[in-house]
């Protein structure tokens, strides 16, 4: 499972709010909802977030092994 938990810490450290993602960077509310609920997003979205936050992929998303 992919988790976007690191995204929120990276945003906080970079002083980028959800409001800023929506208004300044035109990230849709539905995309924010997908990120909040660890739903599928495209690599294009991950790349765009990396550009906005000036960070690496691992600062946005982490893989969590599913123990089944």
């Amino acid at each position: 499972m992919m988790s976007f938990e690191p995204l929120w810490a990276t945003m906080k450290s970079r002083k980028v709010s959800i409001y800023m993602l929506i208004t300044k960077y035109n990230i849709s509310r539905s995309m924010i909802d997908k990120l909040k609920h660890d739903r599928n997003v495209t690599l294009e979205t991950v790349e765009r977030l990396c550009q906005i936050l000036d960070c690496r992929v691992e600062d946005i998303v982490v893989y969590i092994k599913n123990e089944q």
Side-chain angles (χ1 to χ4, degrees):
M1 169 177 124
M2 302 303 273
S3 171
F4 292 99
E5 192 63 37
L7 170 63
W8 313 113
T10 302
M11 285 175 57
K12 187 175 183 176
S13 71
R14 302 285 200 282
K15 295 181 176 37
V16 174
S17 66
I18 291 173
Y19 178 79
M20 192 181 289
L21 286 180
I22 294 168
T23 58
K24 185 175 181 181
Y25 299 106
N26 297 315
I27 303 291
S28 70
R29 291 178 191 272
S30 63
M31 184 59 62
I32 299 294
D33 186 63
K34 285 182 179 184
L35 294 165
K36 282 184 177 179
H37 294 97
D38 296 327
R39 295 192 186 119
N40 292 336
V41 298
T42 64
L43 284 176
E44 181 180 349
T45 299
V46 173
E47 180 181 12
R48 188 154 176 235
L49 289 168
C50 286
Q51 290 170 346
I52 291 167
L53 297 169
D54 189 27
C55 67
R56 299 169 24 163
V57 173
E58 48 272 13
D59 296 326
I60 292 181
V61 63
V62 65
Y63 173 74
I64 299 170
K65 187 176 181 179
N66 202 356
E67 300 280 335
Q68 287 186 357

